[in-house]
Amino acid sequence: MTRQSETDEDTFLLRETAGTEEDRQPDDPPDERDDDTLSNNWQTCWNIINSQQGSSLLGAPFAISVGGVWALIPLFLVGIISNYTSKILVESLYTVRTDDTGRKLRERSRQSYMEIADACFKHMGYFVRFAVFISSFTIAILYLQTVAAILYDILHPVIPSVSSACLLAPVVLCSLPFVCLSSLTRLATLSFWALVSLVILTCSIGYYSLLRYNEWNIKYLLPLNIPNIMYSTSIIVFNFSAQFFIIDVFNSMRHPTSFRRALDISIVSTVLLFLVIAVSACVAFGPGLSEFVNLSLPHGTLRYIVNVMFALKSVLSFPFAIFLSESYFPRLSHARLATWENSDWAPCSRRAFFAICAYICAICLPSYANLLYFIGGAVMVFTEIIFPALFHLKLTSDISFVYIFVDVIIILYGCCIGVTTIVFSLRDIIVGSS
């Protein structure tokens, strides 16, 4: 890419007129970047949806079952907030200046989430890097825990003594070639097939629910319980875990002006998939719904289909989480390691190392629900809700009162979720371990 194209990519005129297709919105980058290695709009959508519909999807019915119909309110609210914070996070990559003629120009002055954090508070980027790494690495662990639980459910009747370590070892080994994929564009193919698996899984559970419409039970979903709603909200927040890599997705787009549309499609699709699978399972299985919805299905063809589809989805998504973990892990600056750090195979070896570490953690860490609950409240609330709104307030010049009000409300809502979920998750972990 030439220096001129880099300049055009990083600086563009703010159009003050409106009403024509040629007019750009103030936060839109150039129309197209001429690079075949970048992602098209559909590949971008596949990556976003795949990341949002993570290992917590099987826990989506459990979240609604615990929180009741009232948990649908934070579902839609978190979806709206996720959409908004993703957009303002990308907007924070740019600064506005006025040239000698009085025209406003928007310059690309930052390249990553960490640079946005450092522009707001000194050394804040280190904390953001750590939070993003923990978030993505935890997702990788939970993918493996999900696969282990599913494979155990399938193979336990045949091999009663089978262990998680034995089940996951071949899965991790088979995923190593995909872990070495070097870009989000290449990972988009895996995201597409993961999304296909997800749609088949959702349709299967919806079909089973419709077959049992005479047994639907919604009365147990009606009582209002605030702690249970907060519990559900933390799982829902985990399901919309996109902000910590949304800038990477934006940077990988061939058509950056389509970012908003791709994000809108992805968020709506995520909410709909979450809603269908959660409501279908809740009304069909009632208050006896298991933590994993597949465990509530009767043994038979449908249960095997759901198990296989979600295991496939988790395996295909595992390289994506490892890719993000490696991308945000701090680089080693020791002089003796400089040659290795700059080699072509260094990223691949690091990802393989993280895959093995995730395998070890997956067979050693405790309860899926408690871990999910704690991470959702302790880390992802900050990277997904609080930090984007806080950074937007700090970096945006001439911000209107409406945006100030919205950002402050989002920060307060995120703090409320974070504090309450940390308290209840620690309580559950302590009770569970004792």
Side-chain angles (χ1 to χ4, degrees), residues 130-169:
F130 174 77
V132 172
F133 169 76
I134 290 296
S135 300
S136 54
F137 190 65
T138 300
I139 291 174
I141 296 171
L142 294 179
Y143 277 135
L144 293 182
Q145 287 188 331
T146 302
V147 174
I150 291 173
L151 293 180
Y152 181 84
D153 182 62
I154 294 174
L155 298 177
H156 180 67
V158 181
I159 313 175
S161 60
V162 67
S163 65
S164 298
C166 294
L167 291 173
L168 286 180

Short mmCIF file of all heavy atoms in Angstrom, two decimals, residues 130-169:
data_model
loop_
_atom_site.label_atom_id
_atom_site.label_comp_id
_atom_site.label_asym_id
_atom_site.label_seq_id
_atom_site.Cartn_x
_atom_site.Cartn_y
_atom_site.Cartn_z
N PHE A 130 -4.51 -6.25 29.44
CA PHE A 130 -4.67 -7.38 30.35
C PHE A 130 -6.12 -7.84 30.40
O PHE A 130 -6.40 -9.04 30.36
CB PHE A 130 -4.20 -6.97 31.75
CG PHE A 130 -4.45 -8.02 32.80
CD1 PHE A 130 -3.63 -9.14 32.88
CD2 PHE A 130 -5.50 -7.89 33.69
CE1 PHE A 130 -3.86 -10.11 33.85
CE2 PHE A 130 -5.74 -8.85 34.66
CZ PHE A 130 -4.91 -9.97 34.74
N ALA A 131 -7.06 -6.89 30.46
CA ALA A 131 -8.48 -7.24 30.53
C ALA A 131 -8.94 -7.96 29.27
O ALA A 131 -9.69 -8.94 29.33
CB ALA A 131 -9.32 -5.98 30.76
N VAL A 132 -8.49 -7.47 28.11
CA VAL A 132 -8.87 -8.10 26.85
C VAL A 132 -8.26 -9.50 26.74
O VAL A 132 -8.93 -10.45 26.30
CB VAL A 132 -8.44 -7.23 25.65
CG1 VAL A 132 -8.67 -7.97 24.34
CG2 VAL A 132 -9.21 -5.92 25.65
N PHE A 133 -7.02 -9.63 27.16
CA PHE A 133 -6.38 -10.95 27.13
C PHE A 133 -7.13 -11.93 28.03
O PHE A 133 -7.41 -13.07 27.63
CB PHE A 133 -4.92 -10.84 27.57
CG PHE A 133 -4.28 -12.18 27.81
CD1 PHE A 133 -3.90 -12.98 26.75
CD2 PHE A 133 -4.08 -12.65 29.11
CE1 PHE A 133 -3.32 -14.23 26.96
CE2 PHE A 133 -3.50 -13.89 29.33
CZ PHE A 133 -3.12 -14.68 28.26
N ILE A 134 -7.45 -11.51 29.25
CA ILE A 134 -8.17 -12.38 30.17
C ILE A 134 -9.53 -12.76 29.59
O ILE A 134 -9.96 -13.93 29.67
CB ILE A 134 -8.35 -11.68 31.53
CG1 ILE A 134 -7.01 -11.59 32.25
CG2 ILE A 134 -9.35 -12.43 32.40
CD1 ILE A 134 -6.40 -12.93 32.61
N SER A 135 -10.22 -11.80 28.99
CA SER A 135 -11.55 -12.07 28.43
C SER A 135 -11.47 -13.10 27.32
O SER A 135 -12.22 -14.09 27.30
CB SER A 135 -12.16 -10.77 27.90
OG SER A 135 -12.32 -9.82 28.92
N SER A 136 -10.57 -12.89 26.36
CA SER A 136 -10.49 -13.80 25.21
C SER A 136 -9.95 -15.17 25.62
O SER A 136 -10.43 -16.21 25.11
CB SER A 136 -9.60 -13.19 24.12
OG SER A 136 -8.33 -12.84 24.65
N PHE A 137 -9.00 -15.21 26.54
CA PHE A 137 -8.45 -16.49 26.98
C PHE A 137 -9.49 -17.28 27.78
O PHE A 137 -9.57 -18.51 27.66
CB PHE A 137 -7.19 -16.27 27.82
CG PHE A 137 -6.44 -17.54 28.12
CD1 PHE A 137 -5.85 -18.26 27.09
CD2 PHE A 137 -6.32 -18.01 29.42
CE1 PHE A 137 -5.15 -19.44 27.36
CE2 PHE A 137 -5.63 -19.17 29.69
CZ PHE A 137 -5.04 -19.90 28.67
N THR A 138 -10.30 -16.58 28.57
CA THR A 138 -11.38 -17.25 29.30
C THR A 138 -12.40 -17.85 28.35
O THR A 138 -12.90 -18.96 28.57
CB THR A 138 -12.07 -16.25 30.24
OG1 THR A 138 -11.12 -15.74 31.18
CG2 THR A 138 -13.21 -16.91 31.00
N ILE A 139 -12.71 -17.13 27.28
CA ILE A 139 -13.63 -17.66 26.28
C ILE A 139 -13.07 -18.93 25.66
O ILE A 139 -13.79 -19.92 25.45
CB ILE A 139 -13.90 -16.60 25.20
CG1 ILE A 139 -14.71 -15.45 25.79
CG2 ILE A 139 -14.65 -17.20 24.01
CD1 ILE A 139 -14.90 -14.29 24.85
N ALA A 140 -11.77 -18.94 25.38
CA ALA A 140 -11.13 -20.15 24.82
C ALA A 140 -11.27 -21.32 25.79
O ALA A 140 -11.56 -22.46 25.37
CB ALA A 140 -9.66 -19.86 24.52
N ILE A 141 -11.05 -21.07 27.08
CA ILE A 141 -11.20 -22.12 28.08
C ILE A 141 -12.62 -22.64 28.12
O ILE A 141 -12.87 -23.86 28.16
CB ILE A 141 -10.78 -21.59 29.47
CG1 ILE A 141 -9.30 -21.23 29.49
CG2 ILE A 141 -11.09 -22.63 30.55
CD1 ILE A 141 -8.87 -20.50 30.74
N LEU A 142 -13.59 -21.72 28.09
CA LEU A 142 -14.99 -22.13 28.18
C LEU A 142 -15.43 -22.91 26.93
O LEU A 142 -16.30 -23.79 27.02
CB LEU A 142 -15.88 -20.91 28.39
CG LEU A 142 -15.67 -20.20 29.73
CD1 LEU A 142 -16.58 -18.99 29.84
CD2 LEU A 142 -15.94 -21.16 30.89
N TYR A 143 -14.85 -22.58 25.79
CA TYR A 143 -15.14 -23.38 24.59
C TYR A 143 -14.73 -24.84 24.82
O TYR A 143 -15.47 -25.78 24.50
CB TYR A 143 -14.40 -22.83 23.38
CG TYR A 143 -15.09 -21.68 22.69
CD1 TYR A 143 -14.37 -20.54 22.30
CD2 TYR A 143 -16.44 -21.73 22.39
CE1 TYR A 143 -15.00 -19.48 21.66
CE2 TYR A 143 -17.07 -20.67 21.76
CZ TYR A 143 -16.34 -19.55 21.41
OH TYR A 143 -16.97 -18.51 20.77
N LEU A 144 -13.54 -25.02 25.38
CA LEU A 144 -13.07 -26.39 25.63
C LEU A 144 -13.89 -27.08 26.71
O LEU A 144 -14.18 -28.28 26.60
CB LEU A 144 -11.59 -26.36 26.02
CG LEU A 144 -10.60 -25.92 24.94
CD1 LEU A 144 -9.18 -25.99 25.44
CD2 LEU A 144 -10.75 -26.77 23.67
N GLN A 145 -14.29 -26.34 27.75
CA GLN A 145 -15.14 -26.93 28.77
C GLN A 145 -16.47 -27.36 28.18
O GLN A 145 -17.03 -28.40 28.56
CB GLN A 145 -15.35 -25.95 29.92
CG GLN A 145 -14.14 -25.76 30.81
CD GLN A 145 -14.45 -24.93 32.03
OE1 GLN A 145 -15.34 -24.08 32.02
NE2 GLN A 145 -13.72 -25.16 33.11
N THR A 146 -16.99 -26.56 27.27
CA THR A 146 -18.25 -26.92 26.62
C THR A 146 -18.09 -28.18 25.80
O THR A 146 -18.95 -29.09 25.86
CB THR A 146 -18.71 -25.76 25.72
OG1 THR A 146 -18.86 -24.57 26.50
CG2 THR A 146 -20.03 -26.09 25.05
N VAL A 147 -17.02 -28.26 25.02
CA VAL A 147 -16.78 -29.46 24.21
C VAL A 147 -16.62 -30.68 25.10
O VAL A 147 -17.15 -31.76 24.80
CB VAL A 147 -15.52 -29.26 23.33
CG1 VAL A 147 -15.17 -30.55 22.60
CG2 VAL A 147 -15.76 -28.14 22.32
N ALA A 148 -15.89 -30.53 26.21
CA ALA A 148 -15.69 -31.66 27.12
C ALA A 148 -17.01 -32.15 27.68
O ALA A 148 -17.26 -33.37 27.76
CB ALA A 148 -14.74 -31.25 28.25
N ALA A 149 -17.88 -31.21 28.09
CA ALA A 149 -19.17 -31.60 28.65
C ALA A 149 -20.04 -32.32 27.62
O ALA A 149 -20.73 -33.30 27.92
CB ALA A 149 -19.90 -30.36 29.18
N ILE A 150 -19.99 -31.83 26.38
CA ILE A 150 -20.80 -32.43 25.32
C ILE A 150 -20.28 -33.82 24.96
O ILE A 150 -21.06 -34.78 24.83
CB ILE A 150 -20.82 -31.51 24.09
CG1 ILE A 150 -21.62 -30.24 24.39
CG2 ILE A 150 -21.40 -32.23 22.87
CD1 ILE A 150 -21.56 -29.20 23.30
N LEU A 151 -18.96 -33.94 24.80
CA LEU A 151 -18.39 -35.25 24.46
C LEU A 151 -18.61 -36.25 25.59
O LEU A 151 -18.84 -37.44 25.34
CB LEU A 151 -16.90 -35.10 24.16
CG LEU A 151 -16.53 -34.32 22.90
CD1 LEU A 151 -15.02 -34.25 22.74
CD2 LEU A 151 -17.17 -34.94 21.66
N TYR A 152 -18.55 -35.79 26.82
CA TYR A 152 -18.81 -36.68 27.96
C TYR A 152 -20.25 -37.18 27.92
O TYR A 152 -20.52 -38.36 28.17
CB TYR A 152 -18.54 -35.94 29.26
CG TYR A 152 -18.77 -36.78 30.49
CD1 TYR A 152 -17.77 -37.62 30.97
CD2 TYR A 152 -19.98 -36.74 31.18
CE1 TYR A 152 -17.97 -38.40 32.10
CE2 TYR A 152 -20.20 -37.51 32.30
CZ TYR A 152 -19.19 -38.34 32.76
OH TYR A 152 -19.40 -39.12 33.87
N ASP A 153 -21.17 -36.27 27.59
CA ASP A 153 -22.57 -36.66 27.51
C ASP A 153 -22.81 -37.70 26.41
O ASP A 153 -23.63 -38.60 26.56
CB ASP A 153 -23.44 -35.41 27.24
CG ASP A 153 -24.92 -35.72 27.18
OD1 ASP A 153 -25.46 -36.18 28.20
OD2 ASP A 153 -25.52 -35.52 26.11
N ILE A 154 -22.05 -37.59 25.32
CA ILE A 154 -22.22 -38.53 24.20
C ILE A 154 -21.56 -39.87 24.49
O ILE A 154 -22.14 -40.94 24.24
CB ILE A 154 -21.63 -37.92 22.91
CG1 ILE A 154 -22.44 -36.67 22.48
CG2 ILE A 154 -21.64 -38.95 21.78
CD1 ILE A 154 -21.84 -35.94 21.30
N LEU A 155 -20.34 -39.84 25.07
CA LEU A 155 -19.53 -41.05 25.19
C LEU A 155 -19.66 -41.75 26.54
O LEU A 155 -19.28 -42.92 26.66
CB LEU A 155 -18.06 -40.71 24.94
CG LEU A 155 -17.73 -40.16 23.55
CD1 LEU A 155 -16.25 -39.81 23.47
CD2 LEU A 155 -18.10 -41.17 22.47
N HIS A 156 -20.17 -41.05 27.55
CA HIS A 156 -20.23 -41.67 28.88
C HIS A 156 -21.03 -42.98 28.91
O HIS A 156 -20.60 -43.93 29.59
CB HIS A 156 -20.81 -40.68 29.88
CG HIS A 156 -20.91 -41.23 31.28
ND1 HIS A 156 -19.81 -41.54 32.04
CD2 HIS A 156 -22.00 -41.56 32.03
CE1 HIS A 156 -20.20 -42.01 33.20
NE2 HIS A 156 -21.53 -42.04 33.24
N PRO A 157 -22.18 -43.08 28.21
CA PRO A 157 -22.89 -44.38 28.23
C PRO A 157 -22.06 -45.51 27.63
O PRO A 157 -22.24 -46.67 28.00
CB PRO A 157 -24.14 -44.10 27.39
CG PRO A 157 -24.35 -42.62 27.48
CD PRO A 157 -22.96 -42.06 27.50
N VAL A 158 -21.16 -45.18 26.72
CA VAL A 158 -20.34 -46.20 26.06
C VAL A 158 -19.05 -46.44 26.82
O VAL A 158 -18.61 -47.59 27.01
CB VAL A 158 -20.03 -45.78 24.61
CG1 VAL A 158 -19.21 -46.86 23.91
CG2 VAL A 158 -21.32 -45.50 23.85
N ILE A 159 -18.41 -45.35 27.29
CA ILE A 159 -17.14 -45.44 28.01
C ILE A 159 -17.32 -44.73 29.36
O ILE A 159 -17.02 -43.53 29.48
CB ILE A 159 -15.99 -44.80 27.21
CG1 ILE A 159 -16.01 -45.26 25.75
CG2 ILE A 159 -14.64 -45.12 27.85
CD1 ILE A 159 -14.98 -44.58 24.89
N PRO A 160 -17.81 -45.41 30.39
CA PRO A 160 -18.14 -44.75 31.66
C PRO A 160 -16.95 -44.07 32.33
O PRO A 160 -17.12 -43.08 33.04
CB PRO A 160 -18.68 -45.90 32.51
CG PRO A 160 -19.10 -46.95 31.54
CD PRO A 160 -18.16 -46.83 30.38
N SER A 161 -15.75 -44.57 32.12
CA SER A 161 -14.59 -44.04 32.84
C SER A 161 -13.84 -42.95 32.08
O SER A 161 -12.75 -42.56 32.48
CB SER A 161 -13.61 -45.19 33.16
OG SER A 161 -13.16 -45.81 31.95
N VAL A 162 -14.40 -42.47 30.99
CA VAL A 162 -13.72 -41.47 30.17
C VAL A 162 -13.56 -40.16 30.95
O VAL A 162 -14.44 -39.77 31.73
CB VAL A 162 -14.49 -41.23 28.86
CG1 VAL A 162 -15.84 -40.57 29.12
CG2 VAL A 162 -13.66 -40.38 27.90
N SER A 163 -12.42 -39.49 30.79
CA SER A 163 -12.13 -38.25 31.51
C SER A 163 -12.10 -37.06 30.54
O SER A 163 -11.94 -37.23 29.33
CB SER A 163 -10.78 -38.34 32.22
OG SER A 163 -9.72 -38.46 31.28
N SER A 164 -12.22 -35.85 31.11
CA SER A 164 -12.17 -34.64 30.29
C SER A 164 -10.83 -34.49 29.59
O SER A 164 -10.76 -34.03 28.45
CB SER A 164 -12.44 -33.41 31.17
OG SER A 164 -13.73 -33.47 31.74
N ALA A 165 -9.76 -34.85 30.28
CA ALA A 165 -8.43 -34.72 29.69
C ALA A 165 -8.29 -35.57 28.43
O ALA A 165 -7.75 -35.12 27.41
CB ALA A 165 -7.36 -35.12 30.72
N CYS A 166 -8.81 -36.79 28.49
CA CYS A 166 -8.74 -37.68 27.31
C CYS A 166 -9.64 -37.18 26.19
O CYS A 166 -9.31 -37.31 25.01
CB CYS A 166 -9.13 -39.09 27.72
SG CYS A 166 -7.97 -39.87 28.87
N LEU A 167 -10.78 -36.60 26.55
CA LEU A 167 -11.72 -36.13 25.53
C LEU A 167 -11.18 -34.91 24.79
O LEU A 167 -11.37 -34.77 23.58
CB LEU A 167 -13.06 -35.79 26.18
CG LEU A 167 -13.88 -36.96 26.72
CD1 LEU A 167 -15.09 -36.43 27.47
CD2 LEU A 167 -14.33 -37.87 25.59
N LEU A 168 -10.52 -34.02 25.54
CA LEU A 168 -10.11 -32.75 24.94
C LEU A 168 -8.77 -32.82 24.21
O LEU A 168 -8.52 -32.00 23.33
CB LEU A 168 -10.02 -31.67 26.02
CG LEU A 168 -11.34 -31.14 26.56
CD1 LEU A 168 -11.09 -30.09 27.63
CD2 LEU A 168 -12.17 -30.55 25.44
N ALA A 169 -7.93 -33.78 24.56
CA ALA A 169 -6.60 -33.86 23.94
C ALA A 169 -6.67 -33.95 22.42
O ALA A 169 -6.01 -33.15 21.72
CB ALA A 169 -5.82 -35.03 24.52
#
